[in-house]
Amino acid sequence: MITTTTERLTVHTTSVRPVADDVLELTFTHAQGHELPPWEPGAHIELELPSGLSRQYSLCGVPTNRTSYTVAVLREEGGRGGSRELHEIACVGAEFGINLPKNHFPLVPADSYLFIGGGIGITPLIPMIGEARRRGAQWRLVYGGRTATSMAYRDTLESLSPQVETWIEADRGYPDLPSILAAAPTGTAVYTCGPTAMIDAVTAEFRKHPHLGGLHFERFTASGPVDTGGDSFEVELRRTGVTFTVPEGTTILEEVHKVLPNHPSSCEEGYCGECETRVLDGEPDHRDDYLTEQEQEQGDMMMICVSRCKGSCLVLDL
Ligand code: FES
């Protein structure tokens, strides 16, 4: 059945093709042939799978193309099952419900960009590179992968420009982050996406290069298991007028969903940004991988799927 709401629509798969080892590229059009809602580099869609799982995938096509959305999906044997299911059912003609594009990873204005992609983390960086070129900005891409055949779009990117440098782990090891970041011009905006270890390494190295502009990253996985340990605490939902206790072993999000079942969430592991909530009072105990250290210190926003409370009470803007 075709459904279209302001938040969701049904799309039709028009192409499925392998673009690297265990990576399928899927292209979707509107199921009724309409123009698709606009998106900007860094945006993702959330795909609803027949099993009920929902998974987010970065859009890696051309934003000005309003007739199709393109994503590339790595089959992760050790994952939670979404990518395996999608690989098994993907075929031309398959229909999926999606949530409209959202962007938690926007491309800020800058004169210079350094993009550092690892594995399937290359996908959101591809339209960003297109946008950086369109803006006439200086840019460089460092793209790392285990083997040449594991790296989606490698040939296309390498043929794009000498500013694209690939680091095939089997040949060269990991990218030389100290020299790569040191060589970037003053004020360069650094964008990175890929495995947790790579993002952690870029984040640690970035702190040693104060001449750079901001660091922007997007994770596909959490850096560790969700930790629901600690004392129980009270949460007041100020606008809803409800107060409840969050005991050890449960999350704020679980309790919020009892009252507000439609409150957005996706990964429920603290890395996607969907459940971000404004804090009106109290001190969050940040346990997420989404907010930057600076944002965590500010304390006015929190990821309620994993983060808890340092004191006895939190007041949330819900
Ligand atoms: S649901 Fe993904 S960060 Fe909370």
Side-chain angles (χ1 to χ4, degrees):
M1 185 171 111
I2 308 298
T3 56
T4 304
T5 69
T6 52
E7 288 297 317
R8 298 174 58 241
L9 58 83
T10 301
V11 292
H12 181 85
T13 310
T14 55
S15 160
V16 180
R17 66 177 185 120
V19 287
D21 297 345
D22 294 323
V23 179
L24 284 182
E25 179 197 83
L26 292 92
T27 301
F28 307 113
T29 57
H30 193 288
Q32 294 166 300
H34 298 162
E35 210 172 50
L36 290 163
W39 61 280
E40 293 187 342
H44 65 267
I45 54 172
E46 186 169 297
L47 210 62
E48 296 162 10
L49 299 171
S51 64
L53 291 173
S54 292
R55 290 293 178 266
Q56 294 180 354
Y57 298 106
S58 297
L59 290 166
C60 61
V62 179
T64 51
N65 176 358
R66 296 285 301 277
T67 60
S68 66
Y69 290 152
T70 300
V71 300
V73 180
L74 171 67
R75 180 184 174 112
E76 295 185 85
E77 289 303 333
R80 291 178 296 157
S83 65
R84 286 198 303 278
E85 179 179 348
L86 187 51
H87 270 241
E88 278 155 21
I89 62 169
C91 64
V92 171
E95 290 196 345
F96 296 96
I98 65 166
N99 278 9
L100 301 193
K102 287 187 184 172
N103 198 350
H104 298 311
F105 194 35
L107 191 68
V108 298
D111 294 332
S112 168
Y113 298 96
L114 172 60
F115 300 108
I116 304 175
I120 197 64
I122 194 65
T123 51
L125 305 183
I126 291 172
M128 288 186 185
I129 290 167
E131 178 63 15
R133 297 175 84 202
R134 196 190 64 76
R135 293 178 189 177
Q138 204 174 335
W139 64 275
R140 179 184 181 190
L141 168 66
V142 175
Y143 179 17
R146 283 178 295 103
T147 62
T149 56
S150 72
M151 299 168 71
Y153 307 112
R154 183 179 57 88
D155 289 346
T156 311
L157 289 165
E158 281 180 337
S159 65
L160 199 62
S161 159
Q163 289 132 263
V164 175
E165 188 180 353
T166 50
W167 284 72
I168 300 168
E169 196 184 313
D171 301 336
R172 297 179 74 186
Y174 296 116
D176 179 3
L177 293 176
S179 64
I180 291 165
L181 269 67
T186 298
T188 293
V190 180
Y191 278 78
T192 186
C193 186
T196 294
M198 192 201 77
I199 292 177
D200 289 346
V202 173
T203 303
E205 188 59 36
F206 178 83
R207 294 191 195 106
K208 302 175 192 167
H209 301 271
H211 72 288
L212 297 173
L215 173 65
H216 310 264
F217 56 83
E218 186 168 70
R219 295 180 189 267
F220 290 156
T221 54
S223 57
V226 175
D227 172 11
T228 56
D231 294 336
S232 65
F233 54 93
E234 300 277 297
V235 171
E236 177 189 340
L237 308 183
R238 177 64 52 87
R239 281 186 282 129
T240 312
V242 171
T243 299
F244 51 75
T245 301
V246 180
E248 182 171 20
T250 66
T251 66
I252 300 175
L253 181 67
E254 285 170 328
E255 300 300 323
V256 165
H257 274 166
K258 291 177 186 170
V259 185
L260 302 170
N262 294 325
H263 185 72
S265 65
S266 180
C267 72
E268 302 191 2
E269 294 184 53
Y271 64 84
C272 76
E274 278 297 304
C275 68
E276 186 171 24
T277 301
R278 182 170 299 284
V279 179
L280 300 176
D281 201 8
E283 190 178 0
D285 175 4
H286 294 288
R287 301 184 182 188
D288 65 279
D289 294 310
Y290 180 77
L291 296 172
T292 63
E293 277 177 26
Q294 199 181 16
E295 288 167 336
Q296 290 188 348
E297 275 164 25
Q298 281 170 4
D300 59 340
M301 302 299 284
M302 70 183 292
M303 298 298 138
I304 61 172
C305 62
V306 291
S307 296
R308 303 183 72 80
C309 176
K310 281 193 173 156
S312 59
C313 184
L314 281 173
V315 181
L316 302 179
D317 186 18
L318 290 176

